[in-house]
Amino acid sequence: MEAAITILALLFVAFIALGVYATVKAVGAAKRGVDRTITQARRTVEDTTLRAKSFGQTGVAGELAQLRLALRTSMRATQDALHAGVAEDSSLAESVGLFRRLSAHGLELDDELKRLEREPDRATVAGLLPQLKERTQRITHSADSLRWAARDRARQFADDDLDALNAQIDIEAGALRHWTVEEQRPQQASGAASQGPGAGAGRAHDAGVDWPEPTAGAGNSSTADESWGGPAREEAPQAITAPDPHLRTRYPWQKAARPETTN
């Protein structure tokens, strides 16, 4: 009985501890979400204010606002690009480390520009503007270089993957159209057969081989055709067996040949 009570008490304590842990985690997540929302809202308000100052104010205040807006825009875009790319390409981890070091300089410059906005001595601030512009350009140039390098790398990977995919699709399309290859083979074979003897003779003639001319005493041209290797004509049976002159039928309109000595 005492053992059962002890087990029930331990289970109750475990459930209480688990509930407390889950509550703490939920509260922490909610707090982080609220902090993130507040930070984004504050950032949006500050960017809107800087944009309004850069367009609405002139002189030193307007130039400081433009520098801060350019710096914050470039750094935020690079941060988003690198964090989105490192999830798919682990080689960007070193670029993320370099950007963190660059962010330290960017945050320092942004704080300095923010303090100078409240500086009443505008003449001194105007004298510092060339140096501040140079620092801003150096930081934004480095951030832009990292961002565009990461984007070009992602685009190159996408192009390589697309080329490989196109090659695989072409191979698959050719395999699906296998009957076209089977139809081309008989056509090529029939074309080669139709060009057999005649084509060989033509190639021999083109190569400079002179075939013998038929002799004048040949009774039929089929003999010459057979010597060339060409097909025999329809008169071939008459060339094999000559007609009998005694069986030749003469008609009344056929005249006898005149002798050559007759004048």
Side-chain angles (χ1 to χ4, degrees):
M1 186 66 182
E2 294 179 357
I5 294 174
T6 304
I7 292 174
L8 291 176
L10 291 176
L11 290 175
F12 179 76
V13 172
F15 282 129
I16 294 298
L18 182 61
V20 171
Y21 176 77
T23 303
V24 171
K25 295 292 290 184
V27 171
K31 184 179 179 180
R32 287 192 298 271
V34 172
D35 293 341
R36 190 181 303 110
T37 303
I38 293 174
T39 302
Q40 291 178 356
R42 186 185 296 112
R43 183 183 303 165
T44 303
V45 172
E46 192 170 2
D47 291 344
T48 304
T49 303
L50 290 175
R51 191 173 288 106
K53 288 182 179 180
S54 62
F55 288 105
Q57 295 182 358
T58 57
V60 177
E63 292 183 2
L64 290 175
Q66 291 178 1
L67 291 178
R68 286 192 66 195
L69 183 62
L71 177 64
R72 293 166 65 91
T73 302
S74 177
M75 297 296 288
R76 188 178 301 116
T78 304
Q79 180 181 0
D80 295 340
L82 291 179
H83 287 174
V86 74
E88 299 179 356
D89 187 4
S90 59
S91 61
L92 293 178
E94 184 176 357
S95 300
V96 173
L98 294 175
F99 178 74
R100 289 175 181 172
R101 295 173 56 186
L102 183 65
S103 296
H105 294 277
L107 292 174
E108 182 181 358
L109 178 60
D110 185 68
D111 292 338
E112 184 176 356
L113 293 173
K114 189 175 182 179
R115 287 194 304 269
L116 291 176
E117 286 180 351
R118 298 187 298 268
E119 178 64 37
D121 190 359
R122 296 300 181 183
T124 304
V125 176
L128 295 176
L129 278 178
Q131 181 182 359
L132 296 174
K133 289 181 179 179
E134 182 182 359
R135 288 178 60 188
T136 304
Q137 290 177 357
R138 290 176 61 185
I139 294 175
T140 54
H141 176 72
S142 299
D144 294 341
S145 298
L146 283 176
R147 183 175 68 254
W148 285 111
R151 290 179 177 176
D152 292 341
R153 182 180 179 86
R155 188 181 303 109
Q156 183 64 36
F157 284 163
D159 292 341
D160 294 341
D161 184 69
L162 182 60
D163 293 339
L165 180 60
N166 289 335
Q168 293 178 0
I169 290 176
D170 292 339
I171 294 174
E172 182 65 19
L176 292 176
R177 296 192 184 98
H178 60 88
W179 65 87
T180 58
V181 180
E182 296 178 356
E183 290 178 356
Q184 291 177 358
R185 290 177 180 175
Q187 292 178 359
Q188 294 176 356
S190 62
S194 62
Q195 296 178 358
R203 287 191 299 268
H205 181 71
D206 294 338
V209 179
D210 295 330
W211 293 93
E213 296 292 335
T215 58
N220 200 321
S221 61
S222 61
T223 306
D225 291 338
E226 291 174 358
S227 64
W228 288 354
R233 298 183 181 179
E234 295 181 357
E235 292 82 6
Q238 296 181 2
I240 295 174
T241 304
D244 190 358
H246 298 286
L247 299 178
R248 183 179 298 174
T249 304
R250 299 182 62 85
Y251 295 95
W253 59 81
Q254 292 180 345
K255 295 180 180 182
R258 297 177 61 186
E260 295 180 358
T261 56
T262 305
N263 294 328

